[in-house]
């Protein structure tokens, strides 16, 4: 899935660099290790080993998101790759667009 054209990405290189450094420190924290030990992907709800989980920014850093506890979740690699630069709300919008207008499927 490509990132839709209505998603604006104007990454500030200084912000991205600063937030990636903060993310490195957050990954070393006991809080993050506990998240990984739970083994749950925040998006699909699947159970994974610690090595199979990645840190995902709910609001992507490239779109102004920050590396703070309230904006990072453990995510399996497939979900993280599928999300790309989208927010969860944008993912829901795309899923609805892909499904088409309500009522088209069943026919009478």
């Amino acid at each position: 899935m490509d990132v839709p054209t209505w998603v604006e990405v104007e990454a500030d290189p200084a912000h991205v660099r600063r937030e990636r450094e903060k993310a490195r420190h957050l990954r070393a924290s006991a809080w993050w290790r506990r998240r990984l030990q739970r083994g749950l992907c925040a998006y699909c709800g699947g159970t994974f080993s610690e090595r199979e989980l990645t840190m995902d920014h709910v609001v992507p850093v490239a779109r102004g998101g920050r590396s703070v506890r309230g904006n990072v979740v453990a995510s399996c690699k497939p979900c993280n790759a599928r999300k790309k630069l989208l927010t969860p709300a944008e993912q829901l919008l795309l899923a609805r667009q892909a499904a088409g207008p309500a009522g088209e499927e069943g026919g009478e």
Side-chain angles (χ1 to χ4, degrees):
M1 165 184 81
D2 291 325
V3 175
T5 57
W6 46 266
V7 173
E8 293 185 29
V9 179
E10 296 180 19
D12 171 23
H15 170 75
V16 171
R17 193 171 35 258
R18 192 172 43 251
E19 293 305 319
R20 285 190 177 155
E21 181 62 30
K22 287 180 188 176
R24 276 190 281 282
H25 290 291
L26 197 53
R27 276 188 204 94
S29 72
W31 173 82
W32 181 249
R33 284 192 300 277
R34 284 190 305 274
R35 290 276 185 175
L36 292 179
Q37 287 170 353
R38 288 182 193 154
L40 293 176
C41 172
Y43 299 117
C44 70
T47 303
F48 299 90
S49 72
E50 291 180 31
R51 299 190 83 204
E52 294 173 298
L53 293 171
T54 61
M55 179 181 279
D56 181 61
H57 289 79
V58 177
V59 176
V61 170
R63 297 185 61 198
R66 299 183 53 217
S67 296
V68 294
R69 290 181 183 186
N71 191 47
V72 295
V73 295
S75 171
C76 68
K77 292 175 184 179
C79 283
N80 199 341
R82 191 170 32 255
K83 181 178 169 285
K84 294 187 179 181
L85 294 173
L86 301 176
T87 65
E90 290 166 343
Q91 285 183 291
L92 290 172
L93 288 173
L94 279 180
R96 283 190 175 181
Q97 285 178 350
E104 277 191 357
E105 291 182 348
E108 293 176 71

